[in-house]
């Protein structure tokens, strides 16, 4: 091989490697919407944003015709996608489209069933096998049993009655039933979910279904007194289905969608449905049993942004950036080195002449329990300042107890 050809060959090889590193998204997602008794115009763009935020997906939204429209025009090529997210509850699809969807799942295509989509297609047997459980749409004993938990046992209940209900919206605790599944691995065993409808009395075939999480529908709030399924996986043919009943959409999303518990389980469930594995890290702001954790505007705050906001803090402003910093420290710092990573950034703010005294007070309080010798010089400096004397001396007393 001539030298210049060899060089071209090497260059082409390097370019190919570079391109494969640049490849940002591994999976293609299709979000199906266009009709829903829910606010699909609000929810579908949010679902797209959440999928793309992971860096794993490129997502497209496809809309069916409007109600009573010509459904024969709706025939997406499902086979082009790794996962199809259903945000739909409306007119029946054409037989051809239904058959194509069944074939897609049978061949190993992933599906996510989101919230009210389990109300859809009460007459379509295959779809109900994919969702496992559904509600409303005149569902009754003919559609399958109620499936729920009583204490730690799963109950399959064939008694007659309606399918689907929910009491008044409220915040509630989600309890994991399997923390070994890729979707739930590493998540807290119990966590508090943002204000949502607690779907209850779902019924369906429940075949090849595993319930990953439930929530107790307290009779005090008008609920069923049962632990109702919240997150499920179903297999159908070679396909994997993740079913979340969480995430009722308000205009702009609202607390049910902004809940980090909803967001992270949706993102992880979609990855699992697409690939059978989950590579995403559990986010630091995942809720725990003590309280709800919401991402306003669906934006995951960055540490730099938190600190810049804290350095402009005064008492008329929100402490949310400080709270965010606190939860990062509590969830991410395990070793002295990791604590010092945060400490050094906080020292920078304390030494910054343009940062506000109120912002510095917040940080002094935090450093008083997690700081090391590193922060003592800057705090001693601040103790000379009238407005910060109290807070600085308090921190010093806790950092240097016996001195
Ligand atoms: Zn709803």
């Amino acid at each position: 091989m001539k030298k210049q050809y060899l060089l071209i060959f090497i260059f082409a090889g390097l370019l190919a490697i570079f391109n494969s590193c640049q490849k940002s998204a591994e999976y293609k997602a299709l979000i199906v919407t266009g009709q829903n008794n829910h606010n699909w115009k609000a929810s579908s763009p949010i679902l797209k944003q959440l999928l793309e935020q992971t860096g794993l997906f490129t997502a497209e939204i496809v809309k069916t015709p409007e109600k009573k429209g010509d459904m024969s025009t709706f025939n997406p090529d499902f086979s082009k996608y790794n996962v199809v997210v259903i945000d739909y509850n409306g007119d029946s699809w054409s037989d051809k489209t239904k058959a194509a969807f069944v074939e897609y799942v049978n061949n190993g295509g992933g599906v996510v069933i989101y919230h009210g989509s389990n109300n859809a297609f009460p007459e379509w047997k295959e779809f109900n096998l994919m969702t496992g459980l559904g509600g409303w749409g005149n569902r009754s004993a003919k559609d399958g049993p109620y499936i729920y938990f009583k204490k730690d046992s799963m109950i399959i209940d064939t008694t007659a009655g309606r399918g689907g209900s929910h009491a008044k919206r409220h915040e509630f605790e989600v309890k994991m039933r399997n923390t070994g599944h890729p979707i739930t691995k590493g998540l807290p065993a119990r966590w508090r979910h943002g204000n949502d409808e607690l779907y209850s009395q779902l019924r369906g075939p429940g075949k090849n279904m595993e319930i990953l999480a439930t929530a107790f529908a307290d009779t005090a709030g008008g609920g069923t007194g049962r632990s109702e399924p919240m997150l499920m996986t179903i297999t159908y043919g070679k396909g994997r289905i993740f079913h979340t009943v969480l995430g009722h959409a308000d205009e702009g999303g609202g607390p049910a969608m902004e809940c980090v518990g909803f967001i992270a389980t949706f993102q992880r469930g979609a990855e699992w449905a697409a690939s059978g594995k989950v590579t995403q890290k559990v986010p630091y702001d995942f809720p725990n049993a003590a309280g709800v954790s919401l991402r306003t505007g669906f934006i995951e705050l960055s540490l730099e942004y938190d600190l810049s906001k804290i350095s402009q803090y005064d008492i008329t402003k929100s402490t949310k950036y400080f709270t965010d910093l606190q939860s990062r420290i509590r969830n991410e710092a395990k070793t002295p080195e990791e604590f010092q990573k945060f400490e050094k950034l906080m020292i920078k703010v304390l030494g910054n002449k343009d940062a506000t005294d109120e912002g510095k007070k917040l940080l002094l309080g935090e450093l008083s329990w997690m700081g090391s010798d590193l922060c003592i010089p800057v705090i001693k400096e601040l103790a000379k300042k009238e407005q910060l004397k109290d807070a600085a001396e308090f921190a010093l007393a806790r950092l240097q107890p016996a001195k």
Side-chain angles (χ1 to χ4, degrees):
M1 196 183 278
K2 277 188 181 171
K3 205 172 174 186
Q4 65 263 44
Y5 287 120
L6 185 68
L7 282 175
I8 289 168
F9 189 69
I10 290 170
F11 180 72
L14 286 174
L15 196 68
I17 291 167
F18 178 75
N19 282 340
S20 71
C21 294
Q22 288 281 297
K23 196 185 75 179
S24 50
E26 275 176 76
Y27 308 118
K28 289 180 77 176
L30 182 71
I31 299 164
V32 177
T33 192
Q35 289 184 35
N36 209 318
N37 59 323
H38 285 81
N39 188 347
W40 62 268
K41 287 181 184 167
S43 56
S44 278
I46 293 167
L47 298 176
K48 176 175 156 69
Q49 182 184 349
L50 295 179
L51 289 172
E52 292 184 340
Q53 248 174 26
T54 63
L56 295 167
F57 295 95
T58 49
E60 286 169 50
I61 296 174
V62 63
K63 286 180 268 186
T64 64
E66 288 178 12
K67 213 165 178 52
K68 303 230 160 68
D70 177 8
M71 275 292 171
S72 72
T73 63
F74 174 67
N75 45 21
D77 182 0
F78 296 112
S79 70
K80 283 189 351 204
Y81 302 91
N82 304 98
V83 62
V84 174
V85 178
I86 309 288
D87 182 8
Y88 183 84
N89 179 21
D91 290 351
S92 196
W93 299 347
S94 73
D95 288 346
K96 190 175 157 227
T97 300
K98 283 185 186 173
F101 186 66
V102 170
E103 193 190 348
Y104 159 80
V105 184
N106 250 328
N107 289 340
V111 178
V112 175
I113 303 292
Y114 156 66
H115 190 62
S117 307
N118 67 25
N119 303 183
F121 308 123
E123 267 95 56
W124 183 10
K125 182 176 165 236
E126 305 307 314
F127 184 78
N128 286 274
L129 285 167
M130 293 174 197
T131 61
L133 293 171
W136 295 271
N138 294 320
R139 281 175 173 84
S140 66
K142 71 184 182 325
D143 299 287
Y146 295 117
I147 302 182
Y148 52 88
F149 274 67
K150 273 268 180 198
K151 299 230 165 75
D152 286 329
S153 316
M154 190 172 86
I155 310 289
I156 298 177
D157 177 351
T158 55
T159 46
R162 63 175 295 171
S165 69
H166 63 77
K168 240 178 108 179
R169 281 176 69 162
H170 60 295
E171 291 181 357
F172 53 84
E173 186 180 271
V174 176
K175 182 178 179 181
M176 294 305 185
R177 297 290 178 174
N178 176 355
T179 49
H181 193 278
I183 297 172
T184 51
K185 204 166 185 183
L187 302 182
R190 293 159 182 266
W191 49 275
R192 209 155 169 79
H193 177 48
N195 190 321
D196 202 348
E197 296 163 343
L198 198 165
Y199 269 20
S200 299
Q201 292 184 293
L202 300 180
R203 25 191 355 154
K207 292 212 174 105
N208 306 315
M209 177 176 86
E210 186 184 5
I211 296 172
L212 298 182
T214 59
F216 181 65
D218 203 324
T219 49
T224 53
R226 303 166 176 173
S227 287
E228 301 282 1
M230 295 289 113
L231 306 175
M232 293 150 264
T233 57
I234 302 99
T235 52
Y236 179 99
K238 289 187 199 146
R240 283 175 297 271
I241 297 116
F242 172 65
H243 180 170
T244 176
V245 308
L246 304 174
H248 178 91
D250 298 310
E251 195 60 44
M257 292 195 87
E258 285 181 341
C259 169
V260 183
F262 167 75
I263 292 173
T265 52
F266 170 74
Q267 291 171 328
R268 295 168 72 87
E271 185 183 358
W272 176 80
S275 70
K277 56 185 200 252
V278 176
T279 59
Q280 298 167 62
K281 263 176 59 181
V282 176
Y284 76 92
D285 53 351
F286 197 93
N288 55 33
V292 167
S293 170
L294 304 181
R295 269 187 208 160
T296 317
F298 302 96
I299 293 168
E300 196 179 347
L301 297 171
S302 74
L303 181 56
E304 293 68 30
Y305 192 69
D306 284 343
L307 287 162
S308 76
K309 285 292 196 183
I310 293 166
S311 46
Q312 295 155 25
Y313 173 75
D314 67 52
I315 51 165
T316 65
K317 291 181 181 158
S318 164
T319 53
K320 93 172 195 193
Y321 305 100
F322 178 62
T323 314
D324 197 64
L325 173 69
Q326 287 183 307
S327 58
R328 275 175 200 276
I329 294 171
R330 280 157 185 73
N331 293 327
E332 287 180 357
K334 307 272 185 259
T335 65
E337 292 72 32
E338 286 163 342
F339 275 107
Q340 286 196 350
K341 185 194 94 180
F342 287 103
E343 185 179 6
K344 284 177 188 164
L345 292 166
M346 291 155 80
I347 289 171
K348 265 195 192 166
V349 178
L350 292 181
N352 177 357
K353 285 192 181 61
D354 297 326
T356 60
D357 287 344
E358 293 302 325
K360 288 178 184 176
K361 276 186 200 166
L362 295 177
L363 296 182
L364 285 168
E366 189 67 7
L367 282 167
S368 73
W369 75 267
M370 51 72 66
S372 71
D373 288 347
L374 280 181
C375 64
I376 288 172
V378 70
I379 298 180
K380 281 187 172 163
E381 273 306 304
L382 294 179
K384 294 176 189 162
K385 215 178 154 188
E386 189 56 40
Q387 295 90 325
L388 292 171
K389 194 168 183 284
D390 269 2
E393 282 178 354
F394 172 77
L396 286 172
R398 291 179 73 182
L399 287 163
Q400 308 173 291
K403 284 179 194 170

